[in-house]
Amino acid sequence: MTLRLLTLLAVVVSAEAGWIPEGVAKYIPRRQEPNPRLLSFTGPDCDLCEDMIPSMREAERLTGRKIRTFNVGATTADYELFRGLDEGECGGLPFFYNRDTHKFICGPTSFDNLMMWAENGPSDEFLPPPPTPEEIATSMRVTGFWARVDRKFSAVKRMGQANMAK
């Protein structure tokens, strides 16, 4: 019995220290911060939540404060915690809550806004992240019936200008 206990203890300590490969370490329970101050709520198949992960990790690195992530689709306890902190203000994911200031951020946000939230500074609750170059390019694209009409008029206009130049 003591040998099993010592082996389990050695495995857990090794996992905490990073001595065990990540593929194996993910099955070993890790100690969580007993009273996390910065909370993040995500959901299964939430693309916006996944987009915020690099910003969250960078904010953790720069501030030295851990952001504890809860998956509301995994357990009812996580979902109830989300509902209790949200109080109907947001209703969507990702949801960030600071227990020190009782401020929240609803949805994806800019890195600067996330940093201000993590440092207990003034942050905007509904500030979306800046658009990516791909989003800007697609927002300028015109589609549908009026786009076809516009292309036809543009073609006629170019043809008329070419004829007038002759």
Side-chain angles (χ1 to χ4, degrees), residues 10-33:
V11 168
V12 170
V13 168
S14 299
E16 289 293 327
W19 298 334
I20 295 179
E22 187 60 35
V24 175
K26 68 182 177 182
Y27 297 108
I28 299 170
R30 297 190 183 248
R31 291 187 306 251
Q32 295 290 340
E33 184 180 343

Side-chain angles (χ1 to χ4, degrees), residues 10 15-16 23 40 46 54 67 76 81 92-93 111 114 117 138 157 160 165:
E16 289 293 327
S40 164
C46 176
I67 300 174
T76 56
L81 179 60
L93 297 173
F111 175 72
L114 189 67
W117 168 82
T138 57
K157 180 180 173 184

Side-chain angles (χ1 to χ4, degrees), residues 13-157:
V13 168
S14 299
E16 289 293 327
W19 298 334
I20 295 179
E22 187 60 35
V24 175
K26 68 182 177 182
Y27 297 108
I28 299 170
R30 297 190 183 248
R31 291 187 306 251
Q32 295 290 340
E33 184 180 343
N35 195 7
R37 308 311 294 166
L38 303 175
L39 309 178
S40 164
F41 294 90
T42 63
D45 302 326
C46 176
D47 294 335
L48 298 175
C49 303
E50 291 174 15
D51 292 345
M52 288 301 298
I53 290 174
S55 298
M56 288 171 43
R57 297 300 164 244
E58 185 67 12
E60 285 178 336
R61 189 182 69 75
L62 293 175
T63 62
R65 300 181 73 191
K66 177 82 173 118
I67 300 174
R68 173 84 188 272
T69 302
F70 296 90
N71 186 340
V72 299
T75 65
T76 56
D78 291 352
Y79 179 72
E80 291 302 320
L81 179 60
F82 165 67
R83 293 287 305 259
L85 295 174
D86 180 28
E87 297 177 341
E89 293 288 329
C90 177
L93 297 173
F95 180 74
F96 301 94
Y97 188 80
N98 186 327
R99 292 181 58 201
D100 292 333
T101 61
H102 303 289
K103 289 191 153 219
F104 66 89
I105 296 177
C106 184
T109 189
S110 68
F111 175 72
D112 294 333
N113 194 43
L114 189 67
M115 281 295 293
M116 292 297 288
W117 168 82
E119 294 175 337
N120 299 341
S123 60
D124 192 349
E125 297 169 343
F126 299 99
L127 180 68
T132 63
E134 181 183 332
E135 291 172 335
I136 293 171
T138 57
S139 70
M140 300 299 183
R141 192 178 306 147
V142 181
T143 60
F145 172 77
W146 294 111
R148 291 191 297 274
V149 169
D150 184 50
R151 282 195 297 270
K152 191 64 146 171
F153 279 132
S154 295
V156 170
K157 180 180 173 184

